[in-house]
Amino acid sequence: MVTRNPARPGRRGHDPESVLSIAVSVFNERGYDGTSMEDLARALGVTKSAIYHHVPGKEQLLARALDRALDGLFEMVTDPRAASGPAIDRLEWVVRQSVRILVGRLPYVTLLLRVRGNSVTEQAALERRREFDRFVSHLVKEAAAEGGIRADVDPALVTRLLFGTINSITEWYQPSRGASADDLADTLLTITFDGLRSDA
């Protein structure tokens, strides 16, 4: 009987997607600046030189990861449901979709929320994030101008509180505990929009 040689422990084939997924996990655990290519190679179970078959360097992995988070947000921005109808209804849809994107791309959004602009890649990601923030801020102001939001609340404060709450999900949410993205969105919308919508 012929016995096959077992694969070396810790070594396995990787494609660009698995490399990115594991790299993001390490970035979130150690911090991007605190992660070396040696750390990534160890997590992947490959030699450092093997990583370069998939990506030119650490910053390119960061750029791809941040794009994964941001692309989801901008796909939402360009959706017709974000552009037509009463602004308050569009805002509610954007909030719900933002929660879904965060949960669906949790490691990538977590990484995005931790960047501080220490490199050209991080600065570009922060500018895209500010562009999204401006879109949301405009939508809140539009809802206020239409009378969809109560007159006694500050639209700028509404924007910060809504998305501060959404972004905080990255700090405590654990998919294994059973709450789905829709569960989170339903609860968030109940708590916030019941007090936000005007009686009119």
Side-chain angles (χ1 to χ4, degrees):
M1 186 171 102
V2 177
T3 303
R4 292 183 179 178
N5 292 328
R8 292 183 184 178
R11 293 183 63 86
R12 59 188 182 278
H14 287 286
D15 59 19
E17 189 63 26
S18 66
V19 170
L20 180 62
S21 177
I22 292 171
V24 169
S25 177
V26 178
F27 291 159
N28 282 331
E29 180 183 340
R30 302 178 61 91
Y32 172 74
D33 291 330
T35 301
S36 66
M37 291 298 281
E38 287 84 358
D39 295 325
L40 294 177
R42 192 178 306 112
L44 288 160
V46 300
T47 63
K48 190 167 102 170
S49 62
I51 298 177
Y52 295 106
H53 291 296
H54 300 287
V55 66
K58 188 176 79 163
E59 189 155 354
Q60 285 73 23
L61 283 169
L62 176 66
R64 285 171 51 199
L66 297 177
D67 283 344
R68 181 69 56 87
L70 288 160
D71 288 349
L73 295 176
F74 281 92
E75 286 167 11
M76 174 180 65
V77 167
T78 58
D79 190 291
R81 287 168 289 185
S84 61
I88 187 67
D89 293 341
R90 286 184 277 138
L91 177 62
E92 185 171 339
W93 183 82
V94 165
V95 168
R96 178 177 293 280
Q97 290 301 111
S98 295
V99 173
R100 287 174 172 164
I101 290 165
L102 185 148
V103 171
R105 307 185 187 203
L106 185 61
Y108 303 94
V109 177
T110 299
L111 183 61
L112 172 66
L113 294 176
R114 293 178 179 175
V115 301
R116 293 294 177 265
N118 296 330
S119 67
V120 172
T121 295
E122 291 189 18
Q123 290 165 11
L126 288 176
E127 180 50 41
R128 287 189 73 194
R129 186 177 161 194
R130 283 190 288 269
E131 185 180 345
F132 175 74
D133 291 345
R134 288 191 291 270
F135 164 80
V136 173
S137 179
H138 176 76
L139 188 53
V140 172
K141 290 175 182 175
E142 193 177 349
E146 290 178 358
I149 288 178
R150 292 168 44 158
D152 59 344
V153 296
D154 178 358
L157 190 57
V158 168
T159 303
R160 292 189 182 94
L161 287 172
L162 274 177
F163 280 83
T165 302
I166 293 170
N167 293 340
S168 74
I169 293 171
T170 62
E171 301 300 325
W172 55 265
Y173 178 65
Q174 296 181 26
S176 61
R177 293 194 174 175
S180 69
D182 284 333
D183 292 334
L184 293 174
D186 287 343
T187 302
L188 174 62
L189 289 168
T190 297
I191 291 171
T192 56
F193 275 72
D194 281 1
L196 189 60
R197 285 180 179 270
S198 69
D199 292 336

